[in-house]
Amino acid sequence: MARSSAGVVVAGLTAAALAVVGFLAYQASAAQDRRDTGADRTPAASASPSPGAGKAGERDKANKADGTERTALPPGSGTGERIVYSLGSRRVWLVGANEQVTRTYRVVPGAVDPEPGEYAVTSRTERVTGSDGVPVAHVVLFTQVEGTVVGFSAAVDGSLPTGAPKEGTGGVRERPEDGEAMWKFATVGTKVVVVP
């Protein structure tokens, strides 16, 4: 009987967590350098695309036009301690208060992009199940676009999404080691600068 009660408690807690996630969280996407996977992603088509949706293919073409991968901190990406997220490069930079980049890495976005601008980390969740059913860790949320929450996270099992992202998802998935670095860096209120 005790085992059954524990199962009910776990199921109840899981359902409550999913309800909160349904409102606040998102399907997280993972990151991996293109050279590691050789895969390229384009967003899923949507009957009513959110801001930025459908532009990824154009950004990727521009990013690869010169055959190089942009790793330098983008111009116009703010000052001070911050997270910089480039939509076009699909890259994140963690920048210390001394303007030194402490880490940069590729990410894999969801179907919904935030508009370029300045945001702040609004919440953090250590572990949850993403809207795609994948358990994710180190969830760092920073905005919402037409009801879709946007933020960074990593799949617990280290898996990386392939193919087009699920419609209506705003997760930006990182590799587990990058997600851990983000988690240590990004407290609530940390500045997030999104650039084209």
Side-chain angles (χ1 to χ4, degrees):
M1 186 66 178
R3 183 178 220 167
S4 176
S5 295
V8 170
V9 170
V10 169
L13 289 173
T14 301
L18 289 175
V20 171
V21 170
F23 177 71
L24 297 176
Y26 58 93
Q27 178 235 329
S29 301
Q32 183 171 24
D33 288 337
R34 182 173 288 122
R35 67 180 172 271
D36 290 343
T37 64
D40 202 10
R41 296 204 13 188
T42 56
S46 172
S48 56
S50 297
K55 298 178 186 174
E58 295 169 19
R59 290 193 305 262
D60 286 346
K61 287 177 188 173
N63 189 42
K64 295 184 279 186
D66 62 2
T68 62
E69 190 168 14
R70 300 175 186 163
T71 58
L73 189 61
S77 60
T79 59
E81 185 175 273
R82 65 199 183 279
I83 299 160
V84 176
Y85 172 35
S86 170
L87 300 171
S89 296
R90 296 181 178 185
R91 180 170 288 277
V92 165
W93 291 260
L94 305 181
V95 185
N98 60 0
E99 294 299 315
Q100 294 298 308
V101 174
T102 61
R103 189 178 189 98
T104 184
Y105 53 90
R106 299 264 299 152
V107 294
V108 180
V112 176
D113 288 335
E115 290 291 334
E118 189 173 303
Y119 304 88
V121 172
T122 56
S123 67
R124 297 166 17 115
T125 304
E126 193 159 1
R127 283 191 182 219
V128 73
T129 299
S131 62
D132 62 350
V134 175
V136 293
H138 301 131
V139 180
V140 175
L141 305 177
F142 65 91
T143 192
Q144 198 173 82
V145 177
E146 296 179 6
T148 300
V149 180
V150 179
F152 307 101
S153 69
V156 171
D157 67 3
S159 66
L160 301 169
T162 58
K166 183 178 174 184
E167 185 176 334
T169 57
V172 181
R173 194 164 287 169
E174 308 160 308
R175 291 179 294 189
E177 60 271 25
D178 295 328
E180 187 174 343
M182 172 70 78
W183 183 255
K184 291 176 181 175
F185 184 87
T187 57
V188 171
T190 300
K191 187 191 314 181
V192 179
V193 180
V194 177
V195 297

